[in-house]
């Protein structure tokens, strides 16, 4: 997530005055307090803000609200006087319903009725509501603004984008211009960082909120991308799609003087197949295939059905037996990658049954599981399903794909992606071995405890940094006495133990783990390991960095030791893990 909206930043508290003429603006800055009478005014405003916040915080115990707004089937109590004074939208809404309010003791409004399109989530509305009351913007709740992929830093994953999109939409519809400006800047930062398919929600909110600058940036980003024209036509407004096509054509003419013109008859045949799929008419698809030389694979018909059609249609197309389930489209995405983007179990399962390979990676290195995880919020993944209710689709998709990978970790099919999969496993194993090796070097006691908890010593010995870069760490090394299945099991068991070691370290020794993360990111390259190599100036810089690292290690160890004491590792604890932790503290 971006940091432009942290509470410590200077915020503008602007409200449309409905009592006097014009608008009243107060600048509240936590950075400095001016001298003289202004400081008293700021202190007074800060106290007022804190007092109004109690109306939101204390609503669960003592509710002084006089109306309800229903968001995602949850009633949120609001105070009409505050909303009306801060938002022209709510002022007009409550004014229009004045007669009905006199008859009804507690009016109720529904979010879906107030929005011209789309939706705003419950948590996003609470953040927005808190700002109306206090003039302060709270941090985004991680359970709805991050994804469940442990490798993601959440600076541009889909949940982070969607949460900001919700807040900008609410700010625009409910007419709070200072918030619109803040979230527009945040979304501008997302546009270049995000995957192109994740730019589409930003483009849509910019279009509906008439944010010209943001829309223009999204249009150019999509135009420069490899997103296919069919997806653009299906997912963005007609006039925006035309703008993207025009700009894309200019890019192509500028960058390539030898463009091959598209065959209009071929394009027409492909679009007729897609239209037949839109109509759920697979029989018509079969007829169109017989009338032209276009195949299902040439039309990427299975990709299209998985992305936009009913699961029953997908099953019918699969049953034709005429499509390659591991075919890649022009973006390098397999059918399963597209299914992961949609997160529909009733589509993913039939694809796996037909032989779709779960470990196939996209050109940017994601497989089907990581795609699903980058789209899934912790709130949805961890949601409990009551007996008799439908299973949580987000978690079900991830679980199904992870089971498939465990069942068939490396496909026996000699596909073009098999080498890349081995390379990915090799690089991940090298990273984990290096990290654990340096943990044992910098934090020997903590690393030993983490490895004990993870039962890491029961797997094959880790060669560590130097050995892992040699032949002993090479996944392609051939042992004639070892079967491929046994080799896969050994590698995966080794990786699982290493991952658990790292996760255990993060849980019990977060400060030490943070030092290791920074070291692995900034300092781990071959020359940095040798203090006596390089010029005199380089050696001096390395030694200085080494001393800084020693200081970081000492501080991290001290912090984690203090934290373990604070959480109450008393002598009465009987947990084996806590006993091992207490031994470290002595």
């Amino acid at each position: 997530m971006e940091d432009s909206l942290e509470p410590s930043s200077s915020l503008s508290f602007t409200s449309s005055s409905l009592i006097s003429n014009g608008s009243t603006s107060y600048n509240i800055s936590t950075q400095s307090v001016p001298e003289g009478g202004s400081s008293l005014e700021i202190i007074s405003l800060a106290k007022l803000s804190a007092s109004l916040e109690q109306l939101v915080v204390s609503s669960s115990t003592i509710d002084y609200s006089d109306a309800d707004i229903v968001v995602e089937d949850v009633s949120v109590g609001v105070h009409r006087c505050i909303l009306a004074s801060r938002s022209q939208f709510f002022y007009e809404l409550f004014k229009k319903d004045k007669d009905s309010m006199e008859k009804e003791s507690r009016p109720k409004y529904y979010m879906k009725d107030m929005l011209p399109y789309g939706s705003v989530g419950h948590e996003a509305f609470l953040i927005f509501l808190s700002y109306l009351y206090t003039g302060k913007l709270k941090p985004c709740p991680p359970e709805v603004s991050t994804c469940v992929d442990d490798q993601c830093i959440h600076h541009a994953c889909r949940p982070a984008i969607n949460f900001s999109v919700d807040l900008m939409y609410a700010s625009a519809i409910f007419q709070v211009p200072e918030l619109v400006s803040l979230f527009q800047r945040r979304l501008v930062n997302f546009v270049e960082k995000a995957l192109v398919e994740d730019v589409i929600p930003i483009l849509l909110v910019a279009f509906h909120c008439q944010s010209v600058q943001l829309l223009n940036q999204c249009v150019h980003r999509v135009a420069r991308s490899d997103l296919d024209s069919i997806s653009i036509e299906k997912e963005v407004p007609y006039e925006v799609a035309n703008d993207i096509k025009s700009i894309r054509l200019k890019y192509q003419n500028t960058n390539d003087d030898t463009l091959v013109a598209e065959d209009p008859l071929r394009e027409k045949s492909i679009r007729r197949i897609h239209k037949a799929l839109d109509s759920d008419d697979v029989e018509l698809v079969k007829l169109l295939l017989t009338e032209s030389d276009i195949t299902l694979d040439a039309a990427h018909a299975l990709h299209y059905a998985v992305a936009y059609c009913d699961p029953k249609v997908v099953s019918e197309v699969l049953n034709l037996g005429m499509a390659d389930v591991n075919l890649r489209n022009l973006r390098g995405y397999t059918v399963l990658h597209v299914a992961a983007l949609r997160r529909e179990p009733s589509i993913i399962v039939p694809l796996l049954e037909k032989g779709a390979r779960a470990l196939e990676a996209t050109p940017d290195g994601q497989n089907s599981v990581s795609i699903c995880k980058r789209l899934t919020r912790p709130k949805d993944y961890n949601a409990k399903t009551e007996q008799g209710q439908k299973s949580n689709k987000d978690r079900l998709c991830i679980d199904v794909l992870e089971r498939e990978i465990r069942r068939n970790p490396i496909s026996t099919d000699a596909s073009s992606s098999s080498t890349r999969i081995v390379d990915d496993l090799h690089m991940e194993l090298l990273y984990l071995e290096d990290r654990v090796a340096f943990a044992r070097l910098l934090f020997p006691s903590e690393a030993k405890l983490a490895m004990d908890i993870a039962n890491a010593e029961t797997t094959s010995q880790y060669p560590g940094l130097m050995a892992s870069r040699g032949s002993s760490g090479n996944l392609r090394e051939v042992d004639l006495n070892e079967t491929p299945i046994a080799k896969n099991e050994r590698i995966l068991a080794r990786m699982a133990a290493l991952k658990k070691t790292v996760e255990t370290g993060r849980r019990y020794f977060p400060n030490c783990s943070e030092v290791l993360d920074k070291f692995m990111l900034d300092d781990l390259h071959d020359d940095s390991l040798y203090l006596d190599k390089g010029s005199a100036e380089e050696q001096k810089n390395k030694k200085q960095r080494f001393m800084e690292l020693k200081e970081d290690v000492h501080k991290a160890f001290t912090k984690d030791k203090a934290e373990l004491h604070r959480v109450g590792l008393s002598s009465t604890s009987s947990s084996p893990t806590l006993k091992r932790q207490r031994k470290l503290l002595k």
Side-chain angles (χ1 to χ4, degrees), residues 8 112 117 159 167 198 203 216 268 290 312 330 351 355 382 409 413 459 464 500 522 534 558 562 567 576:
S8 60
K112 61 182 180 180
Y117 94 101
L167 281 167
D198 294 335
L203 184 151
N216 186 58
K268 184 177 180 181
T290 60
K312 292 182 179 178
L330 297 179
L351 288 174
N382 298 319
D413 182 18
T459 64
K500 190 172 181 181
D522 298 336
T558 304
V567 297

Side-chain angles (χ1 to χ4, degrees), residues 21 80 88 90 142 163 225 239 297 356 416 432 451:
N21 293 328
R80 285 172 287 173
Q88 186 68 25
F90 286 113
F163 196 77
S225 74
E239 54 266 49
D297 287 347
S416 59
L432 290 169
M451 294 181 74

Side-chain angles (χ1 to χ4, degrees), residues 139-295:
C140 300
E143 66 271 14
V144 290
S145 61
T146 62
C147 69
V148 297
D149 187 352
D150 294 335
Q151 305 302 315
C152 180
I153 59 176
H154 312 303
H155 72 307
C157 57
R158 180 64 76 87
I161 290 173
N162 286 347
F163 196 77
S164 292
V165 163
D166 277 10
L167 281 167
M168 179 174 169
Y169 185 42
S171 304
I173 296 302
F174 301 142
Q175 300 175 27
V176 184
E178 67 270 24
L179 270 191
V180 174
S181 178
L182 284 171
F183 283 105
Q184 179 174 276
R185 289 198 298 272
R186 173 171 285 189
L187 292 174
V188 164
N189 290 332
F190 280 142
V191 171
E192 293 303 325
K193 297 176 182 177
L195 297 172
V196 65
E197 54 264 30
D198 294 335
V199 174
I200 300 300
I202 304 176
L203 184 151
L204 292 175
V205 77
F207 174 78
H208 289 287
C209 296
Q210 299 180 355
S211 176
V212 177
Q213 177 187 354
L214 181 59
L215 178 61
N216 186 58
Q217 186 167 350
C218 292
V219 166
H220 280 81
R221 170 69 205 284
V222 174
R224 297 195 311 268
S225 74
D226 58 358
L227 191 64
D228 60 276
S229 58
I230 291 173
S231 297
I232 293 171
E233 291 172 6
K234 295 285 288 186
E235 297 174 24
V236 306
Y238 175 77
E239 54 266 49
V240 179
N242 285 339
D243 289 342
I244 292 171
K245 289 179 182 178
S246 299
I247 295 171
R248 177 173 282 183
L249 188 59
K250 292 179 182 177
Y251 279 133
Q252 291 174 337
N253 290 334
T254 302
N255 298 326
D256 192 349
D257 296 329
T258 59
L259 287 174
V260 179
E262 293 181 350
D263 183 349
L265 291 178
R266 175 186 173 84
E267 288 298 311
K268 184 177 180 181
S269 298
I270 291 173
R271 289 183 179 273
R272 289 175 69 187
I273 291 173
H274 292 169
K275 286 182 179 179
L277 291 171
D278 285 335
S279 302
D280 299 345
D281 195 341
V282 178
E283 289 299 320
L284 178 57
V285 171
K286 291 168 63 177
L287 180 62
L288 292 171
L289 292 174
T290 60
E291 293 179 349
S292 69
D293 58 353
I294 301 295
T295 64

Side-chain angles (χ1 to χ4, degrees), residues 458-476:
T458 62
T459 64
S460 57
Q461 185 64 33
Y462 308 127
L465 176 69
M466 294 300 105
S468 69
R469 301 191 186 284
S471 61
S472 62
N474 194 339
L475 296 184
R476 292 200 180 92

Side-chain angles (χ1 to χ4, degrees), residues 533-544:
K533 284 191 174 184
S535 65
E537 184 66 23
E538 289 174 340
Q539 291 181 35
K540 180 181 176 181
N541 291 336
K542 289 178 185 179
K543 289 176 182 177
Q544 182 179 351

Side-chain angles (χ1 to χ4, degrees), residues 217-456:
Q217 186 167 350
C218 292
V219 166
H220 280 81
R221 170 69 205 284
V222 174
R224 297 195 311 268
S225 74
D226 58 358
L227 191 64
D228 60 276
S229 58
I230 291 173
S231 297
I232 293 171
E233 291 172 6
K234 295 285 288 186
E235 297 174 24
V236 306
Y238 175 77
E239 54 266 49
V240 179
N242 285 339
D243 289 342
I244 292 171
K245 289 179 182 178
S246 299
I247 295 171
R248 177 173 282 183
L249 188 59
K250 292 179 182 177
Y251 279 133
Q252 291 174 337
N253 290 334
T254 302
N255 298 326
D256 192 349
D257 296 329
T258 59
L259 287 174
V260 179
E262 293 181 350
D263 183 349
L265 291 178
R266 175 186 173 84
E267 288 298 311
K268 184 177 180 181
S269 298
I270 291 173
R271 289 183 179 273
R272 289 175 69 187
I273 291 173
H274 292 169
K275 286 182 179 179
L277 291 171
D278 285 335
S279 302
D280 299 345
D281 195 341
V282 178
E283 289 299 320
L284 178 57
V285 171
K286 291 168 63 177
L287 180 62
L288 292 171
L289 292 174
T290 60
E291 293 179 349
S292 69
D293 58 353
I294 301 295
T295 64
L296 282 179
D297 287 347
H300 291 109
L302 191 52
H303 286 83
Y304 184 89
V306 164
Y308 303 113
C309 298
D310 188 272
K312 292 182 179 178
V313 175
V314 176
S315 295
E316 290 181 28
V317 174
L318 279 172
N319 290 335
L320 293 177
M322 302 167 65
D324 179 2
V325 293
N326 291 300
L327 178 72
R328 292 177 179 268
N329 61 16
L330 297 179
R331 297 188 66 204
Y333 280 41
T334 68
V335 180
L336 193 59
H337 293 150
V338 178
L341 289 170
R342 183 168 173 178
R343 288 176 295 167
E344 176 54 62
S346 59
I347 291 178
I348 289 175
V349 171
L351 288 174
L352 293 175
E353 290 176 347
K354 292 292 185 178
R357 294 189 288 270
L359 265 177
E360 290 280 342
T362 62
D364 61 356
Q366 292 193 78
N367 60 30
S368 53
V369 175
S370 62
I371 290 173
C372 278
K373 286 184 173 181
R374 294 273 172 114
L375 295 170
T376 302
R377 309 179 302 175
K379 176 186 176 181
D380 302 321
Y381 183 80
N382 298 319
K384 293 183 178 180
T385 303
E386 301 295 335
Q387 187 172 3
Q389 292 183 346
K390 291 183 178 180
S391 300
N392 182 290
K393 284 188 176 183
D394 299 296
R395 178 157 194 159
L396 188 56
C397 287
I398 294 171
D399 289 348
V400 166
L401 289 167
E402 286 183 332
R403 283 199 298 270
E404 174 64 18
I405 289 175
R406 288 195 297 269
R407 186 187 69 82
N408 187 19
I410 298 181
S411 175
T412 56
D413 182 18
S415 68
S416 59
S417 65
S418 60
T419 301
R420 183 175 57 255
I421 291 170
V422 173
D423 285 340
D424 291 342
L425 287 173
H426 190 201
M427 292 306 297
E428 185 174 3
L429 184 58
L430 286 180
Y431 173 83
L432 290 169
E433 286 182 339
D434 288 354
R435 198 182 191 286
V436 172
F438 276 109
R440 298 178 74 172
L441 176 66
L442 300 175
F443 306 100
S445 299
E446 291 80 354
K448 180 66 165 61
L449 175 60
M451 294 181 74
D452 287 345
I453 295 173
N455 294 320

